[in-house]
């Protein structure tokens, strides 16, 4: 708070209970009131009767609020000495994250003014009371559904790795984690953003809901096109550096396949996410528990199937039509300005359109490193069995950490301190310990325990399913199962701990975790999962637990 007065010595020492407000006195002419996105400035008059003398404390003053500076003279009687003070509140939030929150508030205020049927906008619903049992009950079925989706994706990858386009253009493997990671970079972020909006009441009216839907769909189409293009560039670079030669036809093929796959998959999954969130809210289920796992249940399967089909079709066109691949790239890139115009019209997505690129692009680069590990591993005949397990371990880890990050973000939005508060709580000042993440009585710690306990049983179910379907090139020996479960547990433990630290760290610096945390966490899940899985296969091969029969 800043106090302006013409007479510095007459400014009282006002004490306020809020620890997040800084106060100082300044001499000078009375300045006009300013409004910013985080504060409301009201002109006030501090009056002092002539018989009161010089006060010692601020409690002897009377503050009167007026609507404008012009009314100050009328508000103060002639027999009172007038001391003019303007109070300005400033929460010092990080500009990027705070502008995004302001956009949501602007969207809500616009829709409130347009709604003539109600005098007040609907009040946000009360937070859902959740126990460990209720959290587990809501999470387990979407988790299993998402897991079976990753199993199906693993079976598809196990089959298509022998297709001509994957053997002749091995850089396509580098695209796999990057494009599968779009569900974390885009769809899960979309699900988290819409879940938070639904929980705090920004989708309660039809107008609010459609504004959020149209803006977010247009936003993810822009992001998908750009990320798909950049992923293809990363695949070309990672493939060109080890081999030492560059093939223009393969580079254009990778670009067209990546952009087309990202665009179509994001559109389909975005529509599915919106339907899931609206339906779950209407039946009284917390969208944070079900939206992100369902985003992944079909995400990997749809994305991988599209990548295999589109890349195969475009590879065949290389021999007969030199213009097919560049034309595909040009069409999807030309649509970007349309999506940009739509996203800019919606306040809730306008700021994300400008400021939400950093986590998405960095996450894509991290996933591409995991893709390079996958490319160098599955092309070795001794480790061909890794392909079927890669989407499973990456998908399960990403699904669980996305649920946790979305829950913590919603908790902070509904119950936390103001975003970017200069006096954060002790939880935001230092890194949490593993004990505080997993073994406290808070609701977020309970959900972390529930999610971690789902890892081992879930993976055993998925391994049994893969074995029953006779997928992969690996025999499920006790040694392999032990190594695999150890890698999966370590991956999820690290991710849940990072989620606890990252979401609170971003919140304390004014960055909305819904837009920034999930891309980083799911990309790290891809990198950790692929790296740990490759290490499992190398250790298994080193100790002699090898398959004598590598099937096709």
């Amino acid at each position: 708070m800043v106090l302006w007065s013409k007479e510095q010595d007459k400014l009282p020492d006002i004490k306020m209970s809020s620890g997040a407000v800084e106060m100082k006195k300044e001499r000078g002419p009375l300045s006009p009131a300013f409004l910013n996105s985080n504060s409301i400035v009201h002109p006030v008059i501090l009056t002092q009767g002539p018989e009161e003398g010089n006060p010692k404390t601020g409690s002897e003053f009377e503050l009167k609020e007026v609507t404008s500076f012009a009314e100050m003279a009328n508000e103060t009687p002639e027999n009172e000495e007038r001391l003019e003070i303007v109070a300005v509140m400033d929460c010092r939030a990080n500009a990027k994250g705070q502008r995004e929150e302001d956009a949501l508030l602007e969207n809500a205020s616009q829709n409130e003014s347009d709604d003539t049927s109600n005098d007040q906008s609907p009040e946000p619903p009360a937070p859902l009371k959740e126990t460990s049992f209720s959290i587990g009950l809501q999470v387990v079925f979407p988790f299993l559904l998402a897991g079976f989706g990753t199993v199906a994706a693993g079976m598809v990858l196990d089959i298509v790795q022998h297709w001509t386009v994957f053997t002749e253009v091995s850089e396509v493997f580098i695209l796999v984690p990057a494009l599968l990671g779009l569900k974390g970079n885009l769809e899960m972020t979309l699900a988290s953003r819409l879940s938070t909006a639904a929980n705090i009441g920004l989708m309660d009216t039809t107008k609010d809901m459609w504004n959020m839907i149209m803006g977010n769909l247009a936003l993810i189409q822009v992001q998908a096109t750009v990320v798909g293009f950049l992923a293809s560039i990363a695949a070309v670079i990672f493939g060109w550096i080890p081999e030492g030669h560059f093939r223009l036809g393969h580079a254009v093929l990778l670009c067209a396949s990546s952009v087309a796959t990202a665009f179509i998959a994001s559109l389909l999954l975005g529509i599915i996410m919106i339907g899931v969130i609206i339906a779950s809210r209407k039946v009284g289920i917390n969208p944070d528990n079900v939206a992100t796992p369902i985003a992944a249940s079909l995400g990997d399967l749809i994305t991988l199937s599209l990548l295999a089909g589109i890349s195969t079709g475009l590879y065949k066109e290389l021999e007969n039509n030199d213009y097919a691949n560049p034309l595909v790239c040009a069409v999807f890139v030309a649509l970007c300005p349309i999506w940009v115009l739509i996203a800019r019209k919606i306040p809730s997505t306008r700021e994300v359109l400008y400021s939400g690129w950093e986590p998405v692009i960095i996450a894509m680069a991290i996933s591409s490193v995991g893709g390079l590990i996958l490319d160098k591993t599955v092309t070795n005949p001794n480790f061909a069995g890794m392909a079927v397990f890669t989407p499973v371990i990456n998908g399960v880890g990403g699904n669980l950490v996305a649920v946790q990050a979305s829950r913590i973000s919603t908790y902070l939005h509904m119950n936390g301190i103001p975003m970017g508060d200069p006096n954060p709580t002790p939880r935001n000042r230092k890194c949490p310990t593993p004990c505080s993440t997993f073994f406290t009585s808070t609701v977020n710690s309970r959900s972390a325990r529930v999610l971690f306990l789902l890892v081992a049983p879930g993976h055993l179910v998925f391994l049994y399913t893969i074995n029953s379907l006779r997928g992969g090139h690996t025999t499920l020996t006790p040694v392999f199962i032990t190594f695999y479960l150890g890698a999966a547990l370590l991956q999820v433990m690290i991710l849940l701990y990072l989620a606890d630290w990252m979401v609170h760290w971003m919140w304390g610096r004014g960055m909305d975790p819904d837009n920034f945390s999930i891309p980083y966490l799911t990309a790290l899940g891809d990198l950790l999962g692929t790296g740990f899985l490759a290490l499992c296969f190398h250790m298994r091969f080193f100790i002699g637990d090898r398959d004598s029969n590598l099937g096709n």
Side-chain angles (χ1 to χ4, degrees), residues 253-300:
L253 169 66
L254 291 172
C255 180
S257 302
S258 179
V259 171
T261 300
F263 183 93
I264 299 173
S266 295
L267 179 61
L268 294 176
L269 293 173
I271 294 174
I272 294 173
M273 278 302 88
I274 291 170
V276 168
I277 291 172
I278 294 174
S280 62
R281 193 62 187 168
K282 287 186 176 181
V283 299
I285 298 176
N286 189 350
D288 287 319
N289 292 336
V290 298
T292 49
I294 292 179
S297 63
L298 297 176
D300 288 347

Side-chain angles (χ1 to χ4, degrees), residues 520-534:
Y520 290 124
L521 293 170
T522 54
L524 288 172
D526 291 341
L527 179 60
L528 292 174
T530 306
F532 288 161
L533 188 59

Side-chain angles (χ1 to χ4, degrees), residues 230-254:
L230 295 178
S232 65
I233 294 178
V236 170
I237 294 175
F238 286 150
W240 168 59
I241 291 177
E243 296 180 2
H245 62 275
F246 175 78
R247 296 182 181 179
L248 181 60
H250 287 182
V252 178
L253 169 66
L254 291 172

Side-chain angles (χ1 to χ4, degrees), residues 183-205:
K183 72 179 186 298
N185 300 343
L186 302 182
E187 280 76 33
M188 287 186 179
T189 302
L190 169 67
S192 178
R193 191 160 54 236
L194 292 182
S195 296
T196 298
N199 280 324
I200 64 177
L202 295 183
M203 294 180 64
D204 287 351
T205 66

Side-chain angles (χ1 to χ4, degrees), residues 404-416:
Q404 181 70 355
S406 181
R407 290 179 56 87
I408 298 175
S409 177
T410 298
Y411 176 83
L412 292 174
H413 274 284
M414 301 181 72
N415 303 306

Side-chain angles (χ1 to χ4, degrees), residues 108 139 143 175 245 339 353 385 402 421 439 447 458 467 532:
V139 170
F143 168 73
L175 289 177
H245 62 275
W339 310 125
L353 179 65
D421 196 302
F439 301 109
S447 63
N467 188 60
F532 288 161

